[in-house]
Amino acid sequence: MISRFFCSKWWHLFVAFYMVAILAYIIFFAVTQHILMAGFMVSTFFMLGIEIWIFVNVEKKTEKKD
């Protein structure tokens, strides 16, 4: 069951939500502790973009198969 979830399109959506939570964490620390983790933020934005791109493309591929 878990291996099917890892291979499904929903895994990429789950990871995208996780990346959004990380961005919220970075913004929280930037506001409260005055610590800006710019490199971590840039890499998180990059991975978020890739995960959303994969989710959209996997969804299009499954629509074409049906």
Side-chain angles (χ1 to χ4, degrees):
M1 181 174 155
I2 293 175
S3 63
R4 281 190 306 183
F5 179 69
F6 286 147
C7 296
S8 72
K9 68 177 184 174
W10 297 108
W11 169 253
H12 298 289
L13 186 62
F14 173 75
V15 173
F17 284 136
Y18 181 72
M19 294 292 164
V20 170
I22 291 173
L23 288 173
Y25 167 80
I26 293 170
I27 291 169
F28 172 77
F29 267 90
V31 171
T32 60
Q33 304 295 324
H34 304 292
I35 299 171
L36 180 60
M37 298 175 271
F40 190 41
M41 185 169 51
V42 168
S43 64
T44 305
F45 273 124
F46 180 72
M47 287 303 298
L48 179 62
I50 289 174
E51 289 296 331
I52 291 173
W53 181 75
I54 291 172
F55 178 75
V56 168
N57 284 337
V58 167
E59 187 173 300
K60 286 181 182 178
K61 287 180 184 177
T62 56
E63 287 175 2
K64 288 180 182 178
K65 288 181 181 179
D66 293 337

